[in-house]
Amino acid sequence: MKNKTKQVIYYQDPINDDFAENPTKSFKIDDDFKYIHRNPIFNFFSFILYHIIAKPIFYLILKIKYHVRVKNRRALRQLRHTGYFIYTNHSQNIIDAFINHTLVFHRKGHIIANNDVYSLKGLKMIIDMLGTLPIPNTMIQSKKLYDAIKYNIDKRHVIVIFPEAHVWPYYNDVRLFNETSFIFPVTLNKPMVVTTVTYRERKILKNKPPYITLHISKPVFPKLGVPVKDNQAYLRDIAYCIMKDTIKKAKSFEYIHYEQKK
């Protein structure tokens, strides 16, 4: 849906440009970073912070400020007894990090995020307790991340992944992304669900940011007996097409227009 008074943002690189507006700065984790927390005291306070404090607060923010609606939640019923992966588009800053955790599932969720979130002083433990799994920089960290994902998936947790990697606020389409992050459901033989954020124009105060709708796809399982690389490409293509098709069918409202520099 077109917006005659929309803001225009010019981009150069559709793959690597990032328009996130947040207080973080460049940061890299060390090889001794702890991806898996088995300490019962840590896990107790993590449960309290995640389920008792953070989720209710974000629920109210999402419902009152953003008027978020969720479509097709029933698609998750068949996944009650297994861990799974959520792949979603990346068109919000902080909200993207919590919208799936708060409104889609009721168990513990983890988000694969950029190291930059750890540049926020004094918040490392809170960020860990909220289920953050930072993107690795080395082979040692990659092995630790994979082990952490397997550990949490085996506990029937949910892993949220942004294959677009970079934030384009209120972007009304889907940017191309590669198949790298789809290695996890393939090698662990677990389903993926695709969620897509779309936008609804306000009926009054139309110059304000639009309201949000979150669409949930049916679960998609990796193919059996197919090479890993082919399976990754298969899941990537499905995720991309679902997001693209959902945005088109929902007639998502274009609040900000993105245009490539000539």
Side-chain angles (χ1 to χ4, degrees):
M1 187 181 296
K2 294 183 178 181
N3 172 11
K4 295 180 181 179
T5 61
K6 57 181 168 282
Q7 174 187 350
V8 178
I9 291 179
Y10 293 93
Y11 66 90
Q12 189 160 356
D13 184 345
I15 304 298
N16 298 306
D17 282 359
D18 195 309
F19 300 101
E21 296 179 0
N22 54 53
T24 62
K25 57 185 179 180
S26 182
F27 186 89
K28 286 190 176 182
I29 61 170
D30 298 323
D31 283 345
D32 61 356
F33 182 89
K34 184 178 287 187
Y35 275 91
I36 299 176
H37 294 277
R38 293 187 171 90
N39 185 304
I41 297 176
F42 177 94
N43 289 327
F44 171 77
F45 284 105
S46 176
F47 179 90
I48 297 297
L49 177 63
Y50 186 92
H51 292 284
I52 310 300
I53 299 175
K55 288 186 74 171
I57 290 173
F58 275 98
Y59 181 88
L60 293 175
I61 292 172
L62 292 168
K63 288 295 187 180
I64 295 172
K65 182 177 180 180
Y66 296 94
H67 291 245
V68 178
R69 296 175 183 170
V70 179
K71 300 284 189 180
N72 198 33
R73 196 196 307 268
R74 64 182 178 276
L76 301 177
R77 289 175 183 170
Q78 61 181 293
L79 302 179
R80 286 175 294 180
H81 304 296
T82 184
Y84 59 93
F85 295 86
I86 283 183
Y87 289 83
T88 187
N89 56 329
H90 209 357
S91 61
Q92 290 288 318
N93 287 314
I94 295 177
I95 295 305
D96 268 353
F98 293 97
I99 189 169
N100 287 282
H101 291 54
T102 305
L103 299 177
V104 176
F105 46 85
H106 302 294
R107 66 190 81 169
K108 184 68 180 285
H110 303 267
I111 181 172
I112 298 182
N114 198 294
N115 291 190
D116 294 359
V117 297
Y118 287 97
S119 69
L120 299 171
K121 292 184 179 180
L123 295 180
K124 179 185 181 301
M125 184 172 290
I126 291 176
I127 292 169
D128 282 347
M129 286 182 172
L130 290 175
T132 303
L133 297 173
I135 294 172
N137 304 304
T138 67
M139 290 301 294
I140 292 174
Q141 294 169 16
S142 295
K143 175 65 165 58
K144 286 186 172 183
L145 173 64
Y146 185 86
D147 290 344
I149 289 173
K150 184 179 187 306
Y151 173 81
N152 287 296
I153 283 291
D154 288 346
K155 294 182 64 136
R156 298 191 301 113
H157 293 179
V158 181
I159 309 293
V160 178
I161 299 175
F162 300 98
E164 292 176 311
H166 302 288
V167 180
W168 286 26
Y170 293 97
Y171 187 56
N172 211 35
D173 203 346
V174 184
R175 287 162 281 141
L176 291 174
F177 48 82
N178 62 39
E179 69 274 10
T180 302
S181 65
F182 294 86
I183 185 71
F184 304 116
V186 171
T187 56
L188 296 175
N189 193 30
K190 292 294 181 179
M192 77 167 184
V193 171
V194 180
T195 63
T196 309
V197 168
T198 64
Y199 298 100
R200 312 188 310 272
E201 184 180 15
R202 292 173 181 249
K203 294 182 179 179
I204 56 175
L205 300 176
K206 293 189 175 184
N207 290 330
K208 295 288 185 180
Y211 295 142
I212 293 173
T213 301
L214 184 69
H215 306 259
I216 304 173
S217 79
K218 295 186 296 184
V220 180
F221 292 79
K223 290 183 175 181
L224 296 176
V226 174
V228 170
K229 282 289 186 182
D230 293 344
N231 233 342
Q232 285 179 252
Y234 163 72
L235 293 180
R236 185 273 315 276
D237 291 347
I238 287 180
Y240 180 81
C241 289
I242 288 175
M243 292 180 195
K244 193 93 173 173
D245 191 51
T246 300
I247 290 171
K248 181 179 179 181
K249 286 183 176 178
K251 298 180 179 179
S252 186
F253 177 69
E254 186 180 60
Y255 179 65
I256 298 176
H257 178 70
Y258 286 80
E259 189 171 318
Q260 191 164 22
K261 294 178 183 178
K262 296 181 180 178

